[in-house]
Amino acid sequence: RFDDALLSFDKAISINPNFADAFSNRGNVLKKLNRLDEALDSFDKAIAAKPDYAEAYSNLGNLLKELARLEEALSSFDKSIALKPDYAEAYFNRANLLLALKRLDEAFASFDKAIEINPNFAQARWAKVISLIPAIYKADQDPQSARTAFSQQLDELTDWFNTEKRKDAYMVVGSQQPFYLAYHEENNKPLLKKYGALCNKLMLEWQS
């Protein structure tokens, strides 16, 4: 109920015009409503009210990414991490942005840092595995090595989910998918069967 949420945040701000949390949350709601310029203004006001607000910088980075202002988004994530070095979500958001910038090694390092900080960060584990199949390969990179790594990491991810038995595990399904396998002139059935089995397992656990 985004419109109702927006009214509530506006009321909070009318009571306390320097309420940084309200401005940041309001920005997230406006982003959901696709009112992006207003969301940008709301995040800016959150940061103005609280200059060391790491979460607002991370939220701002996500919005700047959506606006295709990628370098600005990266600076915003870096600022968030500088303010809060143990902020796993900011490292995760930064990793996804670095993927968009085709800076794969840095993206994987950022995923690893998010997982190091929060070993139960299922979405980061999932995204890292899916990202092993990139859209574009470096000149010296062998697509077959990426396929092998994807298969091995998928096995490890399945083992992790079997061990952890997380109730929210189903939420990762569909968040990112190995679409770029379709670019390979190979038989993808074995890899997709393995991937599909994990998706099926997590959704069955949710269903039960």
Side-chain angles (χ1 to χ4, degrees), residues 40-201:
L40 191 62
D41 179 66
S42 205
F43 290 135
D44 285 342
K45 286 177 178 175
I47 291 166
K50 187 178 177 182
D52 62 347
Y53 196 175
E55 289 80 358
Y57 275 106
S58 186
N59 290 336
L60 174 61
N62 285 330
L63 176 59
L64 289 167
K65 179 187 175 189
E66 192 161 319
L67 291 168
R69 293 162 59 176
L70 302 187
E71 292 297 339
E72 292 175 76
L74 184 60
S75 294
S76 198
F77 291 135
D78 287 343
K79 180 68 174 177
S80 176
I81 290 165
L83 289 167
K84 191 175 179 180
D86 62 347
Y87 190 13
E89 191 74 27
Y91 278 105
F92 171 72
N93 292 333
R94 182 177 182 271
N96 284 316
L97 175 65
L98 288 164
L99 289 176
L101 290 169
K102 304 296 186 288
R103 292 161 60 175
L104 303 185
D105 292 340
E106 293 173 80
F108 289 134
S110 210
F111 281 132
D112 286 339
K113 188 63 178 179
I115 295 165
E116 177 188 327
I117 295 168
N118 179 10
N120 292 321
F121 201 160
Q123 194 171 0
R125 289 178 178 273
W126 182 275
K128 181 188 175 187
V129 173
I130 299 301
S131 301
L132 289 167
I133 304 294
I136 300 171
Y137 291 87
K138 297 178 182 177
D140 60 347
Q141 189 176 4
D142 177 15
Q144 194 59 49
S145 65
R147 294 170 66 86
T148 300
F150 175 70
S151 181
Q152 292 172 344
Q153 292 289 314
L154 201 53
D155 288 336
E156 291 181 19
L157 185 62
T158 300
D159 290 342
W160 184 79
F161 277 118
N162 285 334
T163 302
E164 289 300 311
K165 301 290 184 184
R166 298 182 57 81
K167 290 183 179 180
D168 62 349
Y170 71 92
M171 295 179 69
V172 303
V173 176
S175 59
Q176 286 173 270
Q177 301 187 51
F179 172 79
Y180 295 121
L181 281 173
Y183 290 14
H184 295 187
E185 293 186 4
E186 302 277 353
N187 175 17
N188 291 319
K189 183 177 179 180
L191 290 176
L192 290 173
K193 184 176 180 180
K194 186 182 292 190
Y195 167 73
L198 177 56
C199 293
N200 185 57
K201 165 189 151 49

